[in-house]
Amino acid sequence: RKEVEQDPGPFNVPEGATVAFNCTYSNSASQSFFWYRQDCRKEPKLLMSVYSSGNEDGRFTAQLNRASQYISLLIRDSKLSDSATYLCVVSSWGFNKFYFGSGTKLNVKP
Amino acid sequence: SQTIHQWPATLVQPVGSPLSLECTVEGTSNPNLYWYRQAAGRGLQLLFYSVGIGQISSEVPQNLSASRPQDRQFILSSKKLLLSDSGFYLCAWRTDIEKGRGGWDTGELFFGEGSRLTVL
């Protein structure tokens, strides 16, 4: 079983739509959670960390459900510039390892 | 502020040739450093990580090796490249977040711009 699993998509949505991605992780001891964004042929960049209480950054909202071991990312009012691959990342303190999902591709259409 | 540099950005190598990719970090000391590889259309695969000078942990047995000769320098090498070594190689460093009362949380990874390797 993979450490982190994501729906690969692609998600094709019109501008202005709301879209949600989910990600599940297998290690219940995981402590740190992140969403990264990767543009085509570029390095991944941190979009946001995911906190236990959930957190919001503008149009982006991240949620963590420890009981069910999943993380979600909600994007409201999608922009063309949101088109990218979104990577779910999980880590545990002391293990020095970050586990990446394979990514969910988002295409926002005009 | 901290920065991370990788080079070369792009290279095309014949099968059987050697490889050396270099990564340096500025603006921090004793960082945890990582090498990842991303094959075309695939996710990130952890290759090596290092918690200090001369300390290398290998995640995937293959014909690659890593070295950390200085605190902020991380090198990925191969003596003989295979076709399957083609991919996008990413170096990263990790922050740690002090929580207070002596506790720490794992911070996020910051990536270099990557080195795109094509083996022919």
Side-chain angles (χ1 to χ4, degrees), chain A residues 13-19 59 75-80 82 108-110:
Chain A
V13 303
E15 272 187 291
T18 295
V19 61
R59 297 181 294 108
I75 305 176
R76 291 181 299 277
D77 188 24
S78 298
K79 311 289 186 191
L80 293 176
D82 293 334
V108 181
K109 311 277 188 187

Side-chain angles (χ1 to χ4, degrees), chain A residues 44-102:
Chain A
K45 293 185 178 178
L46 179 70
L47 178 65
M48 58 197 305
S49 301
V50 186
Y51 303 122
S52 296
S53 55
N55 46 303
E56 187 174 308
D57 183 2
R59 297 181 294 108
F60 299 86
T61 300
Q63 301 249 318
L64 168 64
N65 185 318
R66 285 189 183 273
S68 301
Q69 294 183 205
Y70 79 80
I71 310 154
S72 64
L73 177 68
L74 183 76
I75 305 176
R76 291 181 299 277
D77 188 24
S78 298
K79 311 289 186 191
L80 293 176
S81 57
D82 293 334
S83 296
T85 296
Y86 291 83
L87 304 171
C88 173
V89 185
V90 172
S91 181
S92 300
W93 171 250
F95 291 93
N96 292 311
K97 298 179 186 179
F98 288 71
Y99 295 100
F100 283 76
S102 55

